Amino acid sequence: MGFLSLNMGFLLCFLVFVSGFLNVHCGNGNSSVVEGEVLINGSSVIAETDGSFICATMDWWPPEKCDYGTCSWDHASLLNLDLNNTILHNAVKAFSPLKIRLGGTLQDKVVYEMRGVPCTPSSFVKNASEMFGFTQGCLPIKRWDELNYFFKKSGARVYFGLNALNGRVPLPDGSLGGPWNSTNAVGLIRYTVNRGYTAIRGWELGNELSGRGIGASINADQYAADVISLHTIVQDIYKGFKSKPLVAAPGGFFDASWFGELVAKTEPNFLDVITHHIYNLGPGVDDHLVEKILDPSYLDGEANTFRSLQSLLHSSNTSTKAWVGEAGGAYNSGHNLVTNAFVFSFWYLDQLGMASNFNTKTYCRQSLIGGNYGLLNTTTYEPNPDYYSALLWHRLMGTRVLSTNFTAKSKIRAYAHCAKRTKGITLLLINLDGNTTVNARVTMDSAIINSSKHQNMFPHTNFNRMPRKQRATEIIREEYHLTAKDGDLHSQTMLLNGKILGVNQQGKIPRMEPIRVNSSEPIVVAPFSIVFVHMPLIHAPVCG
């Protein structure tokens, strides 16, 4: 028998091996214990995601990009990132595949080097009089070759954000008008096809130009015409290909009226993906970010955006699907030791769960690397806590989403999916309370026990009320408990089942092994902890 610290407040969890299983027992004289029940409906699917739901962004920001006196981007730009870094390669390859969205604020100031289009300057130059504080930059063709070699080698699936401001003219209302000049974009797309760069799976038009826009805006009617133009370009250049890249837009903040007009004028199939951005925590300089992250009512507020967008798509005659194209939580590069620390996994995983519930197909995190919200450390490239949260989600949560509710007065967030690439169900429990341990029991509406000895149907199955012998010999589950090192929410080191997660000397991503727990025991969710629970022997009819 041994013990390990799993949370703040000196909570001790004892790991006890009994008949080959690992039971978890937690106790703390200073914290309360709440009994709760997780209700999972296994008879219907409420939403579906893409198989590669997890996505991360790579941005254009140069080292001179600073926010609130802090310059947090270093050499993490598409133009200067060390693509030969072993950890970076291994981190991307671990997802097999990882979707990567290339884009960001400066993408509408990028030109692409082609014959007759000189690449000067190749990097952005700081200039306070320019939009976003930087001059125009250029993507050298050599760098595009290097990026595509990296994508092929690491197995990434890439979505490139095109400059949508070429050809625009100022309008009296302050917005920009005139048709999109696609000449430079066409050159890049043709070059990409001619070079056989198959990692590029989609082309996205513009960044944050929807609604009122950030820095600039374009009305929805003109944007729809430009999207149709891009769709025509892609169909022409990829003519003869069995599958063609997706056309995505607008990569902006949700505005119901603007988005509604874009969808209506691109029906039924000119726009494959409608992308929106999320920075619902406010500016990175905010001193109350942690309070917002730990407040369930604040987190619930973003559901309105997901709900409104899905309602818009369902009521239209479109085949367009919704993605979160960029989400960093706190804008202006995030906040050091918050958006790159353990505490941010509460926000991030809750966002993934919420987005999935509303039929969002892909969720792109800002960023893979760069700023204070990267999945990887900007200078060492080592994974921050959210990288491991993303990887566990990617490996455990399947595409089919199940209705899930938690019945107890606690700050538990609960999400369940059919398991990925295996039988069973995966449950995610997030405890936002630092003083309450939750003992959660699972009840399912419609479930089958997948075992050689027990094939009975349990229409309303409570796995804690089965015969003791049956539970001990057949029904097990696998648990992944995520906690902060030393109980410090601002720690950039995450523990999995009490062990530090970190790359080895060769830069390899660590194995993430579960503990095996007898299903007769409740799921113990320690204060300020996250638990993925894979129940491989429990099968919901809708999981196939």
Side-chain angles (χ1 to χ4, degrees):
M1 179 183 297
F3 65 89
L4 55 94
S5 175
L6 280 182
N7 62 285
M8 298 182 71
F10 305 102
L11 177 74
L12 298 183
C13 291
F14 296 87
L15 309 183
V16 186
F17 284 94
V18 179
S19 302
F21 301 102
L22 187 58
N23 293 325
V24 184
H25 301 279
C26 297
N28 180 359
N30 297 322
S31 68
S32 60
V33 178
V34 171
E35 304 292 328
E37 190 169 47
V38 184
L39 305 176
I40 303 174
N41 186 343
S43 62
S44 63
V45 173
I46 63 170
E48 289 195 53
T49 69
D50 284 348
S52 51
F53 174 70
I54 297 294
C55 168
T57 70
M58 293 173 68
D59 213 314
W60 295 98
W61 288 120
E64 294 78 16
K65 159 68 170 171
C66 305
D67 300 282
Y68 319 116
T70 300
C71 306
S72 59
W73 284 88
D74 200 4
H75 286 70
S77 165
L78 284 164
L79 296 174
N80 56 35
L81 183 67
D82 180 7
L83 300 175
N84 294 313
N85 184 277
T86 300
I87 299 176
L88 175 66
H89 169 80
N90 290 339
V92 174
K93 194 169 184 179
F95 283 83
S96 297
L98 176 66
K99 283 179 177 173
I100 299 179
R101 180 247 184 178
L102 308 182
T105 299
L106 295 182
Q107 82 177 50
D108 292 309
K109 304 190 74 170
V110 180
V111 295
Y112 320 119
E113 183 181 27
M114 295 291 136
R115 290 179 182 176
V117 182
C119 206
T120 305
S122 60
S123 60
F124 299 94
V125 178
K126 195 168 185 178
N127 186 330
S129 66
E130 294 272 352
M131 184 172 68
F132 306 125
F134 288 90
T135 63
Q136 177 179 280
C138 183
L139 172 62
I141 204 66
K142 180 182 178 183
R143 183 60 174 179
W144 186 233
D145 292 336
E146 292 170 350
L147 284 163
N148 275 279
Y149 177 74
F150 170 78
F151 299 143
K152 180 179 180 180
K153 185 180 176 183
S154 62
R157 293 179 180 174
V158 178
Y159 300 82
F160 186 89
L162 294 164
N163 181 341
L165 291 185
N166 283 332
R168 308 300 184 180
V169 295
L171 297 180
D173 64 0
S175 67
L176 296 177
W180 173 50
N181 184 337
S182 62
T183 304
N184 193 219
V186 168
L188 179 66
I189 297 172
R190 285 195 185 281
Y191 179 85
T192 300
V193 171
N194 292 338
R195 295 285 291 182
Y197 292 150
T198 57
I200 310 303
R201 303 298 182 89
W203 300 96
E204 183 180 32
L205 185 61
N207 182 82
E208 297 178 355
L209 301 171
S210 56
R212 296 181 178 180
I214 303 296
S217 64
I218 299 170
N219 69 65
D221 180 68
Q222 180 60 61
Y223 218 101
D226 299 330
V227 166
I228 293 171
S229 176
L230 176 58
H231 177 270
T232 301
I233 291 166
V234 169
Q235 292 298 309
D236 176 57
I237 296 178
Y238 288 87
K239 186 176 181 180
F241 284 67
K242 284 187 177 180
S243 61
K244 297 177 176 60
L246 300 174
V247 171
F253 294 101
F254 181 70
D255 178 298
S257 176
W258 196 99
F259 272 56
E261 186 175 354
L262 178 68
V263 168
K265 293 183 177 179
T266 56
E267 291 179 351
N269 56 11
F270 289 109
L271 179 62
D272 299 305
V273 176
I274 192 163
T275 50
H276 66 106
H277 294 180
I278 296 175
Y279 288 89
N280 62 320
L281 297 175
V285 73
D286 190 344
D287 291 330
H288 301 284
L289 292 178
V290 173
E291 295 172 33
K292 293 177 180 178
I293 292 167
L294 299 177
D295 181 354
S297 62
Y298 191 93
L299 296 179
D300 286 339
E302 193 59 28
N304 294 327
T305 296
F306 290 114
R307 186 179 296 109
S308 296
L309 179 53
Q310 282 308 305
S311 176
L312 186 162
L313 295 177
H314 289 159
S315 63
S316 68
N317 185 37
T318 185
S319 60
T320 302
K321 307 300 181 184
W323 287 19
V324 172
E326 180 183 315
Y331 59 82
N332 289 343
S333 303
H335 190 118
N336 189 36
L337 299 183
V338 176
T339 54
N340 54 10
F342 176 83
V343 68
F344 210 51
S345 275
F346 294 135
W347 176 85
Y348 181 39
L349 287 172
D350 188 65
Q351 276 281 299
L352 296 181
M354 185 183 297
S356 297
N357 281 352
F358 287 99
N359 217 39
T360 304
K361 302 304 181 184
T362 292
Y363 192 106
C364 298
R365 166 63 178 265
Q366 174 80 344
S367 61
L368 173 62
I369 186 167
N372 286 317
Y373 37 35
L375 296 180
L376 306 178
N377 183 284
T378 304
T379 54
T380 68
Y381 291 75
E382 293 193 8
N384 285 322
D386 280 1
Y387 173 85
Y388 297 111
S389 294
L391 189 55
L392 277 175
W393 177 288
H394 178 75
R395 291 178 175 177
L396 297 173
M397 305 292 270
T399 60
R400 298 181 181 181
V401 186
L402 306 176
S403 176
T404 309
N405 292 290
F406 189 80
T407 59
K409 289 185 177 181
S410 67
K411 292 184 177 181
I412 287 284
R413 316 286 283 185
Y415 302 97
H417 289 216
C418 297
K420 190 168 188 177
R421 299 194 188 103
T422 184
K423 294 180 179 179
I425 291 169
T426 302
L427 171 66
L428 169 62
L429 298 174
I430 304 169
N431 190 354
L432 302 176
D433 193 321
N435 296 305
T436 302
T437 298
V438 177
N439 293 331
R441 298 183 181 276
V442 178
T443 297
M444 281 196 63
D445 183 359
S446 297
I448 299 173
I449 306 304
N450 285 317
S451 121
S452 58
K453 296 181 181 180
H454 305 283
Q455 293 290 343
N456 297 322
M457 172 71 82
F458 295 85
H460 300 280
T461 307
N462 186 315
F463 305 118
N464 306 287
R465 296 175 183 169
M466 293 179 182
R468 183 177 181 82
K469 183 178 179 181
Q470 176 179 325
R471 291 178 304 185
T473 60
E474 293 291 339
I475 313 303
I476 63 167
R477 64 177 183 258
E478 298 167 340
E479 296 183 357
Y480 303 77
H481 292 256
L482 302 176
T483 52
K485 186 176 183 292
D486 299 325
D488 180 8
L489 293 183
H490 299 281
S491 174
Q492 293 180 294
T493 300
M494 177 178 270
L495 306 183
L496 171 60
N497 298 325
K499 297 180 180 179
I500 290 176
L501 288 170
V503 299
N504 64 15
Q505 292 182 342
Q506 290 73 44
K508 291 184 178 180
I509 302 301
R511 292 174 61 86
M512 294 191 287
E513 301 288 349
I515 56 174
R516 302 177 74 217
V517 180
N518 190 311
S519 289
S520 64
E521 299 292 332
I523 301 167
V524 179
V525 190
F528 286 152
S529 75
I530 298 161
V531 186
F532 283 92
V533 184
H534 177 214
M535 298 175 282
L537 299 181
I538 308 306
H539 170 66
V542 296
C543 291

